[in-house]
Amino acid sequence: MWQTATARTPPLLFARVELKARLLLPGIRRSVVEQARELREQGGTQPERLARALERLAADRVSDEARPVLDRVESARRALLRSAERVPWAEDTTQSVALICARASQPPSGARLLHHVVAAWQPTRALELGTCVGVSAAYQAAAIAGSGTVTSLEAYPALARQAEQLWERAGIDNARVVVGRFAETLAPTLSEAPWDYVFIDGNHQGPATERYVEQAARATAAGALLALDDIDYSDGMRAAWQSVRRRQDVAASAVVGKIGLLALR
Ligand SMILES: C[S@@+](CC[C@H](N)C(=O)[O-])C[C@H]1O[C@@H](n2cnc3c(N)ncnc32)[C@H](O)[C@@H]1O
């Protein structure tokens, strides 16, 4: 059953999400436009593709088809922010769905950013590491035209169920979740190649992130895009980002807020 709203929603959770919703630009927009210009100067197919994705992002226009879907996702997010249901979270603890949603889901600004990137890239098979309650997968799935799909990996079955409910409520039928830890699910899922887009948003530790990039880069199709969240989260993540953006198989890279983008050769 979809979680219904309760009267005990902590107003701070809404405030937190709403505040993040207003942070999208203009500082980030300026940097995005500048990076797009530099990518063009660099020349080549992948820098050009990435430049176009950044320009789409800077324009921040959601299509008429996607807008009602994203509105329904945000309405579902608001319902989750009122949910007092407790689910397993972070090893041996339980936590309210409201708090998990507020703390771990991409805020509207970051989710919209991913939506624009995916809308520009148009992958046919997108993979996400870290589903949580399904918000970012929904934004990305809504950006893919035609028969493209999003597969998302999540350790906690209760969160995976919340995600499936959110997608159903938003009318999204091109997303699926695979339950289990990345150590068990990533390799077999990647073996269902080809993937042409991977968003890494779970287990934000430097060495793990480098490992996921290595695994993803080996399994994705030529010209795939990798997106990494929280590249400035810690010294370890900053070091990982500096390392992965210099990989031989990276044709072009960009940073949008706390998200790093790697366009592979
Ligand atoms: C930051 S949240 C993802 C948020 C989601 N992408 C969104 O924006 O809507 C990270 C998720 O990854 C999951 N996760 C973290 N480490 C994991 C691992 N090793 N295996 C599987 N799932 C993991 C967590 O349970 C959590 O739900």
Side-chain angles (χ1 to χ4, degrees):
M1 283 286 289
W2 183 253
Q3 295 307 304
T4 50
T6 75
R8 289 180 290 134
T9 307
L12 274 177
L13 293 185
F14 283 110
R16 188 185 168 119
V17 170
E18 291 304 318
L19 177 67
K20 287 182 180 176
R22 286 197 290 270
L23 291 182
L24 177 56
L25 305 167
I28 294 178
R29 180 180 280 122
R30 268 196 301 278
S31 134
V32 163
V33 169
E34 177 63 15
Q35 289 179 79
R37 195 183 56 73
E38 288 168 5
L39 285 163
R40 283 247 152 72
E41 281 172 12
Q42 189 181 326
T45 311
Q46 288 297 79
E48 174 62 30
R49 273 185 92 188
L50 193 52
R52 265 191 260 129
L54 294 183
E55 283 163 358
R56 180 158 188 156
L57 200 154
D60 195 19
R61 271 194 294 276
V62 174
S63 73
D64 290 345
E65 298 77 51
R67 190 172 300 112
V69 182
L70 302 191
D71 286 347
R72 289 196 294 271
V73 174
E74 287 307 323
S75 146
R77 185 206 296 265
R78 283 194 290 280
L80 289 178
L81 288 171
R82 294 191 189 95
S83 170
E85 182 185 353
R86 294 184 77 84
V87 296
W89 172 249
E91 306 306 334
D92 293 330
T93 64
T94 65
Q95 191 50 268
S96 73
V97 168
L99 200 81
I100 294 170
C101 179
R103 280 209 184 140
S105 302
Q106 286 290 330
S109 56
R112 200 162 65 236
L113 186 157
L114 291 167
H115 176 82
H116 291 315
V117 169
V118 172
W121 212 263
Q122 281 304 318
T124 50
R125 287 166 55 96
L127 179 63
E128 175 182 79
L129 279 70
T131 318
C132 197
V133 295
V135 171
S136 60
Y139 270 78
Q140 291 167 103
I144 304 179
S147 58
T149 57
V150 173
T151 297
S152 187
L153 311 181
E154 173 55 50
Y156 292 97
L159 293 183
R161 276 196 299 279
Q162 295 286 342
E164 287 170 337
Q165 289 167 350
L166 183 146
W167 299 335
E168 192 180 340
R169 190 174 184 186
I172 286 165
D173 60 3
N174 61 338
R176 67 167 177 143
V177 59
V178 176
V179 178
R181 299 197 68 80
F182 302 149
E184 288 110 42
T185 57
L186 181 57
T189 306
L190 282 172
S191 73
E192 300 167 11
W195 300 94
D196 42 9
Y197 170 86
V198 180
F199 173 46
I200 301 173
D201 189 18
N203 192 9
H204 297 299
Q205 297 179 51
T209 299
E210 288 198 57
R211 235 178 15 253
Y212 301 147
V213 168
E214 170 66 25
Q215 278 180 277
R218 261 192 277 125
T220 43
L225 183 71
L226 309 187
L228 284 65
D229 192 40
D230 279 331
I231 57 168
D232 62 352
Y233 172 71
S234 63
D235 286 347
M237 285 298 287
R238 279 186 284 276
W241 170 248
Q242 290 309 325
S243 161
V244 296
R245 65 188 282 268
R246 292 191 168 85
R247 288 174 59 100
Q248 286 296 311
D249 49 11
V250 171
S253 67
V255 174
V256 186
K258 61 195 182 69
I259 294 178
L261 300 171
L262 302 172
L264 301 183
R265 294 186 195 284

